[in-house]
Amino acid sequence: MQETRIDLTALNPIYLEMGAAVQDCQRIELYISFIVTLLIDLSDGDLTEEEFRGSMESLGAQTMGRLMEEIKQKVGFTDESVHALRKALRARNFLIHRFYNERSDLLLTSEGRDRALREIRTKRAALNTANAMLDPVMKDLIRLKGIDMDQFRTELEQRFET
């Protein structure tokens, strides 16, 4: 009996887009953890570096849904912003937990892969809308904390390089 072989290189665009989507999800989770920790720091007085890291680690261990509840309690988001966060959460949960199970049949044909790719990109757009909404909140809090953005960016880049 002859084995059916699938040319995996045709899946590379799917893998590339899913990898970028996972990174988008991680960025939302990091932004929320950082925003909540900055809010705690600004409202309760200066956290020590150890306390700050502890808060980030504790929040980083929570689910994205729990993080979103945490940030909604701390930041007065508009209904539109809350909707964008919820949409991002649904997009994240679909991509991370259900995409491959529910869309595996699409990956077998060129037309199906195109459709799957469009769906991933649509979900990523929801993720990036939430990221774009969180970014100015984070930047404002960083400025309130008195952190130099250029120095902060340089330190982050150095952490990723090592």
Side-chain angles (χ1 to χ4, degrees):
M1 186 161 120
Q2 188 173 353
E3 183 180 333
T4 303
R5 297 196 56 112
I6 298 173
D7 180 5
L8 296 179
T9 58
L11 294 174
N12 283 344
I14 300 289
Y15 297 151
L16 181 64
E17 201 70 29
M18 280 297 286
V22 169
Q23 185 176 9
D24 295 338
C25 294
Q26 290 294 306
R27 191 171 78 185
I28 289 175
E29 292 174 19
L30 178 64
Y31 274 10
I32 293 174
S33 296
F34 195 60
I35 288 167
V36 170
T37 299
L38 282 170
L39 286 168
I40 291 168
D41 186 47
L42 288 166
S43 66
D44 294 343
D46 286 336
L47 296 176
T48 65
E49 188 171 330
E50 187 176 311
E51 291 169 330
F52 196 93
R53 285 183 190 188
S55 176
M56 289 291 293
E57 283 180 29
S58 173
L59 290 166
Q62 294 182 21
T63 66
M64 189 166 158
R66 180 69 194 117
L67 286 173
M68 287 191 175
E69 289 304 314
E70 198 66 48
I71 199 168
K72 282 192 311 189
Q73 291 174 9
K74 305 251 187 243
V75 178
F77 283 130
T78 64
D79 289 343
E80 182 181 334
S81 297
V82 170
H83 176 72
L85 285 172
R86 286 187 179 137
K87 188 174 179 180
L89 177 60
R90 285 190 306 273
R92 179 246 184 232
N93 286 343
F94 174 78
L95 291 171
I96 301 300
H97 298 295
R98 298 191 337 265
F99 174 79
Y100 283 109
N101 287 337
E102 294 181 15
R103 301 298 190 262
S104 60
D105 60 319
L106 293 177
L107 305 182
L108 300 175
T109 66
S110 178
E111 296 81 19
R113 288 188 295 275
D114 288 343
R115 184 174 151 211
L117 202 51
R118 283 191 305 274
E119 185 171 20
I120 296 167
R121 288 177 176 153
T122 299
K123 302 292 185 197
R124 280 194 68 210
L127 295 167
N128 287 318
T129 296
N131 276 321
M133 182 190 70
L134 293 169
D135 189 55
V137 173
M138 184 181 70
K139 286 179 181 174
D140 286 345
L141 290 172
I142 287 171
R143 277 189 218 97
L144 280 173
K145 179 68 179 148
I147 298 171
D148 179 283
M149 281 299 290
D150 291 330
Q151 179 184 351
F152 180 71
R153 188 174 296 112
T154 301
E155 287 176 14
L156 276 180
E157 288 170 357
Q158 288 172 349
R159 286 185 184 183
F160 279 109
E161 293 297 322
T162 58

